[in-house]
Amino acid sequence: MKTGIVDINLAVNQDLLLEIFDTGSEGLWEMTPGNVVKFYNTRFYEKFDVTLNGSPLHEWLAIVHPDDVEQFKKTVNRQVTEKISHVTSQYRIRNRQNEYRWIEAIGVLKVNEQGELLSLVGSHKDITEKKLHDEKLYQLAYHDSLTGLGNRRQLVEQLKVMQNDEVSCTIITFGLTKFCQFVEVYGFQAANRLIQLCAETIAEVFTETNLIYRTYSDEFVVMLKDASDKISLCNIINKVITRFDQRFRNVHHMAIQRLNAGVYQLPSDPFVAEDEESVLYKSMLIMRYGQEHESRVAFYADEEQRAIERHLFLETGIEKSIQDDEFYLMFQPIVCATTGKMMSVECLLRWHSACHGEINPGEFIGIAEANQEIIPLGYHVLHLACAYIVQYRNEHQHDLKVSVNISVIQLMQTDFVQQFLSIVEQYQLSPGDLSLEVTESAVLETNMFAVEQLLTLNKLGFSISLDDFGSGYSSLNTFFSIPFTQLKLDRCIVNKMAEDSSVYSYVKFLVAMCREKQISVVAEGIEDHAQAELVREAGVDLMQGYHFYRPMVGEKLMDIARN
């Protein structure tokens, strides 16, 4: 009688347990060594075409997505063979509506004391919604929303994988010319259609790869696994360019937009592996190098390679070159127009690189301004100038006034005045020892913060000089809005004075107006006696140029002072 009660209770408890299973959102299963599966939670499994009690494993395999079958088999076999106690896997399975759902399966291995398999038990969870959500997040994180192509982040990660696998590849960067001007003229909607046109054209031609990315607003990258020969690459790239040109002309009936390509072939040698950003940057630079040299397709090789490597050095080498003391100053005296006596000197920055020799300021100043390296470089120049003033004073027992060029980018820094004064005080100099030369008057007129910085220094006694007046944008408004104490006429104005009487009259007028405002005028680029006489007659106060002194190193300036 007692045994019967126990059996009844077990049956009741089992039924109760199955009812509890049916209330859950996950399916539970058990598989015996004969590959027979029992499914618990009717609500979960009735969506699928399988026998709920005593289903052979091949029934479940029949509704697994074909692409996932092999991995499913490998996972089960590995768990059983290697006696792995707990395994989690994900795969797709077809429901009765012929829709595939993502399933997360957990399998727990049960063995006896001898290590023999008793059963596999576990759970199934529908994770389709999570997968869709993850896919949306992936699309947002790794894809360009306008074109559907991969974005720069995905490209960098893919490139990292290929380098780790030591796979050689070719990076092709496509770039649109004058894209910003196109946006300004035609607007953002037309620009978006242009981007889509470009993306579609590239994808249509490069059908054998899905490694196509939009990396910037007007740039695309195609990655080709394994190195292709130059002729084949040129042919396929030119096909893209020609097709794009035709389609663009069909829409806009003109050829203001051009597509250029830069090609960088990445070796598979792990000993020459490069940083991913460096690889992409080189490919972009070679594309832009081609744009500048009217080449629709440019390869990173020979002359182009040397030019790009030099450009890269200029972009990345300034900070180290400051530390290595590769920058130095040359000085060009400024003389009195009446007596010819040296009144002050302008310091001119020079760069002697251990790798590249002498580098012209015209090469590196623009780059330094573009990447903000002009800020530490400008402070370094100020240190060099102040140190030279101290050296000159100690040797000659009299003062030397030095003009230092200041970039507007420096003036836009909130702590510029504080840093400037700190350096000057470090060398125990006074405001009369230094003059600040600035060039970008157009920027200054629209940037009141930069002007306020100049006003502060001017009130403290520092001279402010407007350099290269007449070389580009020059406005008389400058005299009324910016606290200049000196104006330097560019050599182009000086050269035209002898040819055009109106220019001569303009200079005389300018000198008279400056005199009224107590602004001294310097004529730059004086190369002969005739020019010196002409500007002297026009009334300028000071002169500077090869006729008097060429730029010289500090030691030679010392010798001139001694003599």
Side-chain angles (χ1 to χ4, degrees), residues 170-211:
T170 300
I171 311 292
I172 307 171
T173 299
F174 288 94
L176 290 163
T177 59
K178 301 178 181 177
F179 181 70
C180 292
Q181 293 92 319
F182 184 89
V183 175
E184 290 174 2
V185 173
Y186 294 99
F188 286 104
Q189 286 187 345
N192 285 343
R193 288 194 293 271
L194 174 63
I195 292 298
Q196 288 169 332
L197 173 66
C198 190
E200 290 166 5
T201 305
I202 294 171
E204 285 173 9
V205 175
F206 287 95
T207 55
E208 295 183 4
T209 180
N210 61 349
L211 302 177

Side-chain angles (χ1 to χ4, degrees), residues 297-518:
V297 183
F299 284 77
Y300 187 77
D302 303 328
E303 288 299 320
E304 293 91 343
Q305 179 175 347
R306 285 190 285 273
I308 296 302
E309 287 178 352
R310 185 177 179 89
H311 187 92
L312 279 172
F313 172 76
L314 296 179
E315 284 211 335
T316 59
I318 290 177
E319 182 179 357
K320 186 175 187 303
S321 293
I322 291 174
Q323 297 170 358
D324 293 344
D325 203 24
E326 292 186 348
F327 289 98
Y328 66 98
L329 298 182
M330 296 190 77
F331 301 89
Q332 187 173 32
I334 299 171
V335 303
C336 174
T338 306
T339 64
K341 179 183 177 183
M342 185 172 69
M343 304 302 292
S344 64
V345 295
E346 178 184 0
C347 71
L348 306 167
L349 182 62
R350 297 291 184 264
W351 184 0
H352 182 83
S353 164
C355 302
H356 297 273
E358 288 293 328
I359 301 175
N360 191 294
E363 276 192 90
F364 68 82
I365 293 296
I367 292 174
E369 289 182 327
N371 63 17
Q372 303 286 301
E373 291 286 353
I374 195 69
I375 299 168
L377 184 58
Y379 290 132
H380 182 64
V381 170
L382 186 58
H383 273 289
L384 293 176
C386 290
Y388 184 77
I389 293 171
V390 172
Q391 181 187 354
Y392 186 95
R393 178 185 292 171
N394 291 340
E395 178 147 345
H396 297 287
Q397 304 303 313
H398 63 83
D399 295 334
L400 173 73
K401 187 163 190 171
V402 175
S403 296
V404 178
N405 286 279
I406 301 295
S407 168
V408 169
I409 293 172
Q410 292 175 265
L411 289 172
M412 291 177 180
Q413 306 308 305
T414 55
D415 62 344
F416 172 74
V417 171
Q418 178 185 349
Q419 294 281 359
F420 183 90
L421 294 176
S422 174
I423 294 171
V424 172
E425 290 169 6
Q426 179 181 334
Y427 293 91
Q428 298 180 335
L429 300 180
S430 64
D433 296 320
L434 288 164
S435 175
L436 284 73
E437 288 195 12
V438 292
T439 303
E440 305 97 319
S441 58
V443 179
L444 284 173
E445 287 180 12
T446 58
N447 193 298
M448 286 309 300
F449 180 75
V451 173
E452 288 171 5
Q453 303 261 54
L454 289 176
L455 280 168
T456 300
L457 291 172
N458 183 239
K459 288 176 182 178
L460 292 171
F462 292 95
S463 301
I464 312 294
S465 178
L466 174 61
D467 197 13
D468 297 336
F469 187 86
S471 62
Y473 175 94
S474 301
S475 169
L476 292 179
N477 183 52
T478 300
F479 294 106
F480 304 104
S481 61
I482 303 173
F484 291 116
T485 55
Q486 186 178 83
L487 181 143
K488 301 185 77 172
L489 293 174
D490 188 74
R491 66 180 66 245
C492 69
I493 292 286
V494 173
N495 290 337
K496 290 177 182 177
M497 286 177 65
E499 304 166 5
D500 191 336
S501 59
S502 63
V503 176
Y504 179 82
S505 299
Y506 172 70
V507 171
K508 288 191 70 172
F509 163 75
L510 199 59
V511 169
M513 189 171 67
C514 286
R515 196 158 285 160
E516 283 186 17
K517 295 183 66 65
Q518 296 182 325

Side-chain angles (χ1 to χ4, degrees), residues 25-96:
S25 60
E26 297 183 13
L28 302 175
W29 55 270
E30 176 187 13
M31 187 174 75
T32 64
N35 289 340
V36 176
V37 184
K38 290 183 179 179
F39 295 106
Y40 305 100
N41 187 346
T42 305
R43 286 180 56 231
F44 185 88
Y45 290 108
E46 66 186 3
K47 305 170 192 173
F48 306 103
D49 189 15
V50 290
T51 306
L52 296 182
N53 192 8
S55 170
L57 182 60
H58 65 77
E59 267 192 9
W60 187 255
L61 270 173
I63 59 174
V64 173
H65 193 287
D67 292 344
D68 299 338
V69 169
E70 285 305 312
Q71 187 59 46
F72 176 88
K73 289 179 179 178
K74 287 179 182 178
T75 301
V76 174
N77 289 336
R78 181 168 172 265
Q79 183 173 16
V80 173
T81 304
E82 299 180 16
K83 300 293 191 296
I84 302 172
S85 62
H86 188 283
V87 170
T88 300
S89 61
Q90 294 180 355
Y91 52 88
R92 289 160 291 180
I93 195 159
R94 189 181 66 248
N95 63 17
R96 293 183 184 274

